[in-house]
Amino acid sequence: MRVRVLYHDHCFDGAASAAFFSRFVRDRFYPSADFAYAGMMHTPSQTWDEAVFDGDVNAIVDFKYAPSDRLTWWFDHHQSAFLKPEDAEQFRTAQKPWHFFDPDFRSCTKFIAKIAAEKFGYDAPDLKELVEWADIVDGAQYRDAQEAVEIALPATKLVLVIEGAKGSDIVHHIIRLMQRERLEAIANDGKVQQLFRPLYEQHLKTKELIKQVCRYDRGVVFFDLVDHGLEGYNKFIPYYLYPESVYTVSVLIASFRTKISVGSNPWVHGELKHNLASICERYGGGGHPRVGAISLPPGAVDEARRVAAEIVAELRGQ
């Protein structure tokens, strides 16, 4: 038997969700199955190709719903979990017993663990650390910006590798290790360390670059990385540089999209005035109330800059 697990790629919670889900269903349902992983990324024209559901059992974790009869398991916690209103209606009316959605959870990993315990009587005490750190990372529950940016703990080292590595091979390697190993052992794994060292050096350079190019005004940090060739950055750097800031908006490019990232400072007290997922949804993106993103086609830099300027103006109250 083959179990295909589709997960949110280059995301700590996505990898942890794939790991916890795999351990859960292997222990409870498919003890002799082969598990295969495929990372999914948000794209400008997001659709589902039936060919990706090539397992005897197919699962999506920490990613958008697919209205496919071949989808066996689904777990997600994003406000923007459905590509179309018809997909949301199908999910509600079909009420498939192994499809689960709850946008109130900070992390999909913790959501899977809760469902596994409450509905299937499953517990994995040795994965408690993994579940707790997935909730910290995806829910931006670090003690402070220093903990998130200075990359001293095993979990933060793994975040750097998972988010920054090219391709998905190392993520699949980490997913398999996460099912049995503690985070410190995974962070010290030879393959992980081989990638961590150059990624950490790049992280330090990126922090300095953002310090140079970002602009802070009326609670909002904005920066444009299009001309610097960076596809990503530690999203807490702006709050490390400007602890008083409330929001961050950035523009960057990758081979398959032009991206606008929109985030909020997790250490600002009180309710935010804006739901960032709802703002991003107006431009075809989505996310969570406190963090979101918009994917435009490759090369759509002028459009991305225009959208980013509109969002910055809105967040600044202009």
Side-chain angles (χ1 to χ4, degrees):
M1 173 181 283
R2 175 185 172 92
V3 178
R4 167 65 75 184
V5 182
L6 307 169
Y7 67 95
H8 187 190
D9 208 4
H10 298 293
C11 166
F12 185 93
D13 187 38
S17 294
F20 192 98
F21 171 80
S22 299
R23 170 77 178 274
F24 156 51
V25 297
R26 185 192 300 277
D27 288 353
R28 183 64 82 232
F29 296 97
Y30 319 116
S32 59
D34 292 323
F35 283 73
Y37 301 98
M40 307 302 298
M41 296 292 285
H42 298 292
T43 61
S45 54
Q46 190 81 55
T47 57
W48 282 105
D49 181 350
E50 282 288 313
V52 301
F53 303 114
D54 59 359
D56 301 295
V57 173
N58 297 289
I60 299 172
V61 295
D62 196 37
F63 205 76
K64 292 180 181 289
Y65 177 77
S68 171
D69 292 336
R70 292 191 56 76
L71 181 61
T72 317
W73 295 87
W74 178 60
F75 290 89
D76 195 32
H77 70 127
H78 294 88
Q79 175 182 315
S80 311
F82 301 99
L83 290 171
K84 298 178 292 185
E86 307 92 270
D87 294 349
E89 182 61 24
Q90 188 206 62
F91 167 75
R92 285 191 291 268
T93 55
Q95 295 185 331
K96 293 188 177 181
W98 291 352
H99 290 186
F100 302 97
F101 173 60
D102 191 337
D104 291 332
F105 274 80
R106 288 193 296 249
S107 70
C108 192
T109 307
K110 192 166 187 176
F111 179 41
I112 296 170
K114 183 177 176 63
I115 293 295
E118 293 185 351
K119 294 190 176 293
F120 301 96
Y122 179 79
D123 186 27
D126 58 312
L127 297 187
K128 182 180 178 181
E129 178 195 40
L130 178 68
V131 174
E132 289 179 346
W133 269 104
D135 216 46
I136 290 170
V137 172
D138 219 48
Q141 301 296 302
Y142 296 100
R143 288 194 303 266
D144 50 35
Q146 285 72 26
E147 183 176 68
V149 173
E150 291 177 359
I151 319 292
L153 300 175
T156 57
K157 293 177 181 179
L158 290 174
V159 170
L160 181 65
V161 173
I162 290 168
E163 292 184 354
K166 301 290 186 183
S168 299
D169 288 350
I170 190 63
V171 185
H172 297 174
H173 178 65
I174 290 171
I175 288 170
R176 297 184 188 281
L177 292 176
M178 280 178 167
Q179 296 174 46
R180 299 290 175 184
E181 301 288 343
R182 291 184 60 82
L183 298 184
E184 184 175 6
I186 302 171
N188 289 327
D189 175 81
K191 291 181 180 179
V192 174
Q193 276 293 308
Q194 188 175 8
L195 287 173
F196 171 76
R197 288 188 287 270
L199 286 170
Y200 181 70
E201 292 300 318
Q202 181 60 55
H203 166 70
L204 296 178
K205 293 176 183 177
T206 300
K207 183 171 65 172
E208 289 304 309
L209 173 63
I210 291 174
K211 183 178 180 179
Q212 293 170 20
V213 303
C214 70
R215 297 293 179 267
Y216 173 71
D217 182 26
R218 282 165 288 177
V220 181
V221 177
F222 171 73
F223 51 96
D224 186 328
L225 297 176
V226 168
D227 295 330
H228 299 279
L230 293 177
E231 296 189 8
Y233 61 91
N234 181 306
K235 64 185 177 183
F236 301 104
I237 290 174
Y239 316 120
Y240 181 87
L241 299 173
Y242 292 95
E244 71 277 21
S245 63
V246 181
Y247 298 107
T248 295
V249 180
S250 66
V251 182
L252 56 163
I253 56 173
S255 59
F256 61 97
R257 66 179 173 183
T258 308
K259 182 181 178 182
I260 303 127
S261 289
V262 188
S264 61
N265 188 338
W267 300 283
V268 168
H269 298 295
E271 292 294 322
L272 296 179
K273 294 181 179 179
H274 301 276
N275 182 315
L276 301 185
S278 297
I279 289 176
C280 291
E281 284 171 359
R282 299 203 304 256
Y283 300 95
H288 298 289
R290 296 188 67 99
V291 61
I294 302 157
S295 294
L296 298 176
V301 173
D302 290 342
E303 175 70 4
R305 287 170 170 162
R306 181 190 66 79
V307 169
E310 290 181 3
I311 295 172
V312 168
E314 180 175 354
L315 295 177
R316 286 176 176 164
Q318 295 174 275

